[in-house]
Amino acid sequence: MNKTFAAALSALSLLVVAVLMWPDAPSGEDDAHMNGAAGRSASSESRFPWETSDRTVSAPATLDLLRAQPNGRLNLSARTRDVLDTFLSEHPVAAPDVIAAQFRDAAKAHLREPALSEAVDLMTRYAAYQDALRASQTQPAPAPNIAPELAAILKLQQASALREQFLGSEFKDALYGQEEQMQRYQLARQQILSVQGMSEQQRHGELAALAREYPREVVEAAGRGGH
């Protein structure tokens, strides 16, 4: 990993913990009443400016996209998160367990056990994660004078930590794995491009080394984004 980017991540790790442990954060229910039912739409989670895909242009993902694997477990696809976002946007704001109960009733027509229970568990975790994410976004910034580049790193680290906490590794990787890789690659690339006094040969070498650390599809997607 690029040394500048790695150093920035290390320096901000304590700030991430401070944000997650910030006292008196508003509850998900209070935040929901403040923002209304639209707060749980797919757009409720702030996107990073370098993301190349627009998740709002396609038709809403419905529950009939949920599938089970041959072994009966839930099949986690690229659109599973869209299904969750659409369901949240179409139902009144409620506590995660209430949302999960509504989701179970609706998903029964599309899934059987054990995939059904796995989908309900995922919905419960995802609704709680969205509540926690919105609550964290209302908290005062721990470092108001932080540079924009480092603020973006902090934002990514904070969101990633919340995903790990509420979704767990398997669900987090399925729903956000490739997206987080894209964000980390773009941040590291921006760090290299912003270094002053680096020769073009050195910069090219750093960029090439960085690209080798990531899957080809991530690097190619970044190129298509024009960043």
Side-chain angles (χ1 to χ4, degrees), residues 120-173:
V120 173
D121 180 40
L122 174 57
M123 181 79 262
T124 308
R125 292 167 178 266
Y126 190 73
Y129 160 67
Q130 289 290 342
D131 283 346
L133 182 68
R134 285 194 301 276
S136 72
Q137 291 170 344
T138 67
Q139 298 167 1
N145 297 323
I146 192 171
E149 295 82 4
L150 296 184
I153 295 174
L154 174 60
K155 182 177 180 181
L156 173 57
Q157 291 293 87
Q158 178 184 352
S160 182
L162 284 174
R163 292 163 188 165
E164 184 72 30
Q165 177 184 350
F166 285 91
L167 300 177
S169 297
E170 181 181 6
F171 287 148
K172 176 198 169 190
D173 290 345

Side-chain angles (χ1 to χ4, degrees), residues 64-86:
D64 57 7
L65 291 176
L66 295 176
R67 297 286 188 275
Q69 302 176 42
N71 62 5
R73 294 198 60 191
L74 179 66
N75 181 48
L76 296 170
S77 71
R79 299 210 67 188
T80 302
R81 192 167 125 215
D82 295 324
V83 174
L84 303 178
D85 283 330
T86 298

Side-chain angles (χ1 to χ4, degrees), residues 13 20 49 61 70 84 131 139 141 152 175 179 182 193 203 209 212:
S13 60
L20 295 178
L84 303 178
D131 283 346
Q139 298 167 1
L175 270 59
E179 180 177 303
M182 168 71 75
L193 293 174
R203 199 182 308 276
R212 289 193 293 269

Side-chain angles (χ1 to χ4, degrees), residues 50 55 59 91 219:
W50 54 82
R55 297 170 61 86
H91 288 75
V219 177

